[in-house]
Structures are given as structure tokens and as C-alpha cells.
Amino acid sequence: MNRRGLDLMKCKLLSHSPLEVDDLAAIDALHYEQRRLEAGSYILREGDPSKICPVLFSGFAFRHKITANGGRQIVAVKMPGDALDFQSIFVRHADHCLQALTQIEIATVRIEDIERLFVDYPNIARAIVVDIVIEASIGREWLLNIGRRNGFTRIAHLLCEIHFRLAITGTGLLADKLPLTQEQLADLLGLSPVHVNRCLKALELRGAIVRQGRSVRIRDLGALRSIAEFTDLYLHSDDS
Amino acid sequence: MNRRGLDLMKCKLLSHSPLEVDDLAAIDALHYEQRRLEAGSYILREGDPSKICPVLFSGFAFRHKITANGGRQIVAVKMPGDALDFQSIFVRHADHCLQALTQIEIATVRIEDIERLFVDYPNIARAIVVDIVIEASIGREWLLNIGRRNGFTRIAHLLCEIHFRLAITGTGLLADKLPLTQEQLADLLGLSPVHVNRCLKALELRGAIVRQGRSVRIRDLGALRSIAEFTDLYLHSDDS
DNA sequence: CGCAGCATTGACAGGGGTCAATTGGCGTGG
DNA sequence: CCACGCCAATTGACCCCTGTCAATGCTGCG
């Protein structure tokens, strides 16, 4: 069976926390069920009780919340190797929805198994919490991004972030195309789809990105970084 | 010596996590130094190494981040009883600034002492992580608030949140006045000070709040809740 | 090859930002 | 106890960024 997903997760955890051989062995020994989900499938809905902790093998997923009058805000994006819901270990109900962005493959691990790892393996426990803390840090940067940067800069910043986060497990956005529609970008950035389109056009005029068909690709990472004044400190990628 | 602050913290932790007698005793045995800080004092700056974990005895504090061109965004507000920086246990450098909002009293505990609690007392470890997870959940709601609600609704939502969070340790905002200037409200909500003023005026016209002098007070919590479509699910106040 | 859904564009409007002047509250010093 | 000065709040004028609406192009898929 394909274990690439768990390897990616180990890679992610190792990027910020020191794990020993027996820690890694314990992760390898995890029992899980692999499933493939179509783009748009719900993995978890707001208010659901916590039962599983899915790990993302391939594809992208996201968390979102919805306003009473229908406004949707994406509050986190998850990438291959990410554990999708460590927090279920700690609270009874989900405070947001978790949904597949592209077609994805996930491994569902029973929450009790993760809890056992948390109790029995201090290094893993720490790695899990570091993971939660880093996601929170990314959330804070998003608050700054949405609250205090204009559309143009905001998009540039997001593209930088996705690039650097993908780089942690090997690839970056320079190589791949962005797996987000403009409507999803809009929900992610607190903008309207139309305005996202305008800003993307402006970024292309500046030579920072290329658009071909329905896909976006980074062309000049340096330009993008300087537009966004991007620093990757908040990703804590070399912290321990 | 005044132990009211640590009692408040125990109260906060107990509101979401079951702690036993010996857990509470371990907290009581913590060695700490009490300090008083003026409004505006920095407790921690972005990039600082992690050395201490302050607990807020009285007054309010906040986290903020700054854009390269000077825009400031407040990304969290902390209230009496809150531990201000559990996350320092897990990452090497601060990714944001931590500052006193009003005059405050804090107890500084050495990070090693908290780490020891984390390792030796599983219940406390869990309570600490739950605390981190809840702060992250609040951050997600703020993303929704800033990204998808207009100024008027956005302020109403914030006032509701502060009221309910204060209620966890006994008081609510109905009784007290809001300890935030309009400029701070602006930085908190991703608005301009002028627009905050306009929205507050509108909220007063609706009868939801009262303003006297420089202070804001909730007058009709029900009205405020229905304007903001407020639910306190994301505060996880009765989760375990 | 035709349809469905996303992307693109223009026109227009409004929420919210900016600037600047004025008011008002409150602490401080005389 | 009053006057002064500072800082926050308030207000009006103006404009731009961004949202909304609607029409038109694309493009990938069945």
C-alpha cells in the first residue's frame, strides 16, 4: 500500500520538531484507512463531533466558515503531508468545515490512536502541538493580510506563502500551477471574484505571474516577494 | 501576595479542561514574579526568543503584527486570567508582538517551569493545548469577521465576543465599559478609526450600545447578537 | 460538438479610506 | 479650583478601492 502520505507527514513534522527512530516507527505502525475524495467533498462539518484525524496524502483541502447571510471565508489551506485535524483531539466539536479543494487522497486514523501517540510519545506530542501552533501563526498572518493589505498585495502575499509552504515538502509553486479557482481565491482573501481577476491581471502586467488558460503560475518570485513584502518567519520552518 | 491572577487562570483552564487536585496544587506551587506595566508597554516583540510565559492578572493585553508600510493589525486580545504566551514553549521565536492594552499586572513564570508542568502533568498539558486550540478557533472567527462582514456587523460581533469571554471568569461587558480606544478598535477590526466612529454611532442609534464620554457600554445584548448573528460555539466554553 | 462552469470585461455604485477642522474629555500645573 | 494643553472623538467633504450586475469569452469535458 502507498505510504507516501505518511512519509510526507513525517517530513512535515521533522521540519519543525526532532523525532527519534522509535517515534517514526510508531507513526509507521499507525493503522489507517485510505480513501479518495472528489473535489468539494466535505470531510468535517461545523458542529460535528470529533472522531477521526485525517492525514492528507495528495491534493489540497481547506477549512471554511460561513456567515449567516451566506458569506464564505476560507480560514486555512492544507497541503500534501498535512494532518487535517489534530485539534479534534482537544475539543468536542468542530468549529468550522473541512472540505476537499481538489481531488484528494486521505488516510483516516482513529482519534484514539492519535491520542495514544500523544500520551505515549512525548516527542510526537510536542510535534503535534508545534503543528497546531504553526497553523495558528499562519492564521495570524492571514489576519494581517486581510485586515491591512489591499487586494493586489494580498494576492501576492498568498502566492508567496503557498510557494514556501510547498517548498517544505520538496516542490514549490514555481513548478506547479495554482490549484485554486478565482472564486476560491476570493473566499480565501476576503475579496470578490471579480476583484481577484482584476488583481491577477495587474500582477501579470507587472511580470510577477503568468496566466495560461485557467491556471496561474509564478514567474518572478522576487517581484512577488517585494510586492508582498514577504518574510517567511511566521512559517517557523526552521524552529524547534 | 496577591494570588488572584493564578486563580483566574485556574478558572479559565477549568472552564474547558478537567483538572485534578494535584494539578491545581502544581499550579499553585509555581514560582513567579509579579510586575505592573503601563498601557502600551511591550511584553514581547516579533522575533524575540522565547524565555518567559506571562499570565495576565488584571487588565487587557493584545497581540499585533505590522505591515512593512506601517499598517497595524491586532490579531488577539487577552483578558484577566489568560496565559499570554503558552506558544513560546513550542517555537523558538515570537511571530508577533505582545503589548499591554491597559495598565496590567502580570506574573512572569519561567518557561522551564511551564515545560516541566507540561511534561509531568498530563491534565495540565492537555489544558494548555486546549487553550492554544481555542485561541486558534477565535482567530478563525476573526478571519470570517474581517473577511466577510461589513463594519457595522463586524463591531457588533466583536462586542459580543468580548462580553462572552469576560463572562467566563465572572463579569461581562454589560457591566463594564470597553477598554479600547476607537483607534485600537480599528486596528482590531481592519477598519479606519473614522469608520469605527461612524459604525459606533449607528449602533447607538439602533439602541444596541450607549456611549458616554470616551467609553462604550453594551445596552441591548440581544440586539447586538442579532445584528452580528453571534453564536458562541467557537469559544468552546463548555468543551472538554 | 455542444454544454456547463469558470474567466474576463465594462459600467456603475457604495462601503470605507483619507484629510482636515472642530469638539470634547481629562490630567496637570499654576 | 481653574486654565491650559494634549489626545481621543466627531464630523463633513471627497474620492478610491472594491463589490455588484450583467454580458461575453473561454475551455475542458461528456
Side-chain angles (χ1 to χ4, degrees), chain A residues 96-133:
Chain A
H96 59 270
C97 303
L98 186 51
Q99 202 176 357
L101 183 62
T102 61
Q103 178 180 274
I104 61 174
E105 292 170 293
I106 58 173
T108 55
V109 182
R110 273 175 315 174
I111 211 80
E112 306 91 70
D113 293 344
I114 298 274
E115 288 205 51
R116 203 161 309 127
L117 282 191
F118 188 82
V119 172
D120 295 339
Y121 294 82
N123 291 335
I124 295 183
R126 195 183 173 89
I128 287 176
V129 182
V130 172
D131 210 72
I132 290 173
V133 167

Side-chain angles (χ1 to χ4, degrees), chain B residues 81-229:
Chain B
D82 283 325
L84 293 184
D85 214 29
F86 277 146
Q87 80 158 53
S88 341
I89 313 177
F90 305 99
V91 290
R92 215 195 295 278
H93 299 288
D95 50 63
H96 59 269
C97 303
L98 187 51
Q99 202 175 355
L101 183 62
T102 60
Q103 176 179 279
I104 62 174
E105 292 170 293
I106 57 172
T108 55
V109 183
R110 271 174 317 171
I111 211 79
E112 308 91 69
D113 293 344
I114 299 275
E115 288 206 51
R116 201 161 311 126
L117 282 191
F118 188 82
V119 172
D120 295 340
Y121 295 83
N123 291 336
I124 295 183
R126 195 183 173 91
I128 287 176
V129 181
V130 172
D131 208 72
I132 290 174
V133 166
I134 291 179
E135 180 172 329
S137 173
I138 293 174
R140 269 176 240 124
E141 185 70 29
W142 283 28
L143 275 170
L144 177 64
N145 205 26
I146 295 181
R148 289 295 178 217
R149 287 196 258 254
N150 64 22
F152 183 69
T153 320
R154 213 183 285 181
I155 295 187
H157 192 279
L158 177 75
L159 292 176
C160 287
E161 176 181 315
I162 295 183
H163 172 78
F164 279 88
R165 283 175 59 192
L166 282 175
I168 293 173
T169 50
T171 45
L173 243 193
L174 280 169
D176 289 310
K177 68 182 178 61
L178 190 69
L180 289 159
T181 67
Q182 293 183 8
E183 191 181 353
Q184 290 163 340
L185 274 174
D187 284 344
L188 219 150
L189 296 161
L191 297 169
S192 69
V194 174
H195 196 59
V196 166
N197 188 288
R198 288 192 279 241
C199 292
L200 285 175
K201 189 178 174 185
L203 282 172
E204 187 170 39
L205 273 176
R206 282 273 207 103
I209 62 170
V210 201
R211 292 178 302 160
Q212 31 197 324
R214 288 181 186 175
S215 79
V216 172
R217 204 180 298 263
I218 296 180
R219 184 176 144 192
D220 183 347
L221 185 61
L224 218 47
R225 288 192 72 161
S226 77
I227 290 171
E229 310 141 353

